Amino acid sequence: MSSIGSISSGNNNLQPLIEPSPIAGDDPSHAANGAIALSAEGVKVSLSGAGQSKSSAAKGSDNDIEESGLPENIQQLLKMIRKLQQQIAEKMAEMQAVMADKHLTPEQVKARQGSLQAALAGLNAGLLTANNALAKAMKTSGLSPEQVLKAASLLMKS
């Protein structure tokens, strides 16, 4: 071993900066010097309370449609309309965020607003088509007045 002055690299009682990792095939529980063994578990994500409530709300947001007793095609149209309305609301929020962003140049604001407006136009066209399809499906399905009222109330709940 080499020595500098009276201290050699073998007897200085200093901890190495990088811990040796176990060799492949070694049992990670027997890793020397407290080295951390990596497992093949993957990435773990934990959500905040608000994120968890939003996630559970998203899972159960269409339960009322599924439990309505309406025909399957009408249920699918109602779900599609809700999804389109949610996407429209998100694009509107993005547009307001772009307008409020003071770090963007006027050209950047104009470009982003143009793309958001184009996306909104597409979503609105899809919403009109879905609403027309729902009206046609309700007429041809022979729904009872109670079912028509139920479908309308589910549509308004969106």
Side-chain angles (χ1 to χ4, degrees):
M1 295 198 168
S2 65
S3 65
I4 301 175
S6 64
I7 300 176
S8 68
S9 62
N11 69 358
N12 60 12
N13 292 327
L14 297 176
Q15 294 292 323
L17 292 176
I18 301 173
E19 296 288 335
S21 61
I23 300 173
D26 283 353
D27 183 3
S29 63
H30 293 67
N33 298 326
I36 299 173
L38 299 177
S39 65
E41 208 172 291
V43 177
K44 289 186 178 182
V45 177
S46 62
L47 296 176
S48 66
Q52 289 175 350
S53 65
K54 188 171 184 178
S55 174
S56 64
K59 287 180 188 174
S61 65
D62 291 334
N63 281 346
D64 56 345
I65 293 174
E66 293 170 1
E67 296 170 356
S68 66
L70 294 169
E72 185 67 28
N73 63 335
I74 293 177
Q75 288 182 21
Q76 293 303 319
L77 287 167
L78 287 169
K79 289 177 188 179
M80 184 185 309
I81 289 169
R82 278 190 182 173
K83 186 175 181 181
L84 287 167
Q85 288 173 333
Q86 178 186 6
Q87 290 172 343
I88 289 170
E90 290 169 0
K91 292 295 178 194
M92 295 294 288
E94 284 181 50
M95 188 170 293
Q96 288 188 355
V98 166
M99 290 189 300
D101 192 347
K102 301 297 181 194
H103 296 98
L104 298 175
T105 65
E107 293 82 20
Q108 290 173 322
V109 170
K110 190 173 183 178
R112 288 189 183 176
Q113 280 184 334
S115 66
L116 288 170
Q117 286 173 344
L120 276 169
L123 290 170
N124 280 322
L127 182 60
L128 286 173
T129 302
N131 278 323
N132 288 336
L134 178 63
K136 183 178 179 181
M138 287 173 62
K139 285 181 185 177
T140 60
S141 293
L143 298 178
S144 69
E146 293 82 20
Q147 288 178 313
V148 171
L149 185 59
K150 181 69 172 175
S153 69
L154 289 170
L155 188 59
M156 297 299 285
K157 197 175 179 182
S158 319

